[in-house]
Amino acid sequence: MVALWWPLPALLAIFFSGLWAGEYSKLDSTHSEWLYLLWWGIPGYGAFSLWMTRAVKGRDEQQALLMVWLAPLKFIPFYAVPWVIYGLSRAFAEQSDGFFMTFGWVLVLPYLLIAGYVCAGLTVALYRTFYS
């Protein structure tokens, strides 16, 4: 559970430190706060963590380890849906960059998978180091 939930406070801390430092000021654009909030994946990661917390309860050790290895693949829809909704809402507001944002998350997909499997590997390695 710790491995599942620790990224959320870390993401929030990074986002709010940048917000307080003025990196996401409204001088750039009126939607920059929402854009950076989606970029960090905070809404998607929160929903994913809640879903995985419910799914992991009652599982044995082998099933939980399998869930760790499948988690990066299961995270993709949670990360993509907020981007697609945001992009479509911008496209319907007659802003042409909305279509790019709708499908642009596909470009981030390989990096998301690589980072996810690095985190999954570290989680399994730490678990086997300390609990096996």
Side-chain angles (χ1 to χ4, degrees):
M1 292 307 238
V2 172
L4 180 63
W5 282 99
W6 77 263
L8 189 59
L11 288 172
L12 287 170
I14 291 168
F15 174 74
F16 282 115
S17 68
L19 185 65
W20 288 322
E23 292 178 22
Y24 316 133
S25 72
K26 288 191 177 193
L27 298 175
D28 297 333
S29 68
T30 58
H31 67 279
S32 63
E33 285 84 8
W34 293 106
L35 181 65
Y36 285 109
L37 185 67
L38 288 174
W39 177 252
W40 286 107
I42 295 170
Y45 193 80
F48 172 75
S49 297
L50 288 172
W51 179 64
M52 288 300 286
T53 298
R54 291 182 52 102
V56 79
K57 291 184 180 185
R59 305 280 177 145
D60 65 7
E61 180 180 342
Q62 290 300 335
Q63 291 172 331
L65 288 175
L66 179 63
M67 288 179 74
V68 169
W69 287 115
L70 292 175
L73 291 173
K74 291 180 179 181
F75 179 64
I76 292 169
F78 288 95
Y79 187 71
V81 167
W83 274 106
V84 170
I85 291 171
Y86 180 75
L88 287 175
S89 67
R90 288 189 51 82
F92 289 131
E94 298 180 3
Q95 296 180 0
S96 62
D97 64 339
F99 287 112
F100 173 74
M101 282 188 217
T102 300
F103 300 108
W105 67 269
V106 174
L107 300 174
V108 179
L109 188 61
Y111 302 105
L112 186 66
L113 285 173
I114 290 169
Y117 279 108
V118 166
C119 290
L122 287 173
T123 300
V124 170
L126 287 171
Y127 176 78
R128 289 191 175 159
T129 299
F130 292 108
Y131 294 106
S132 291

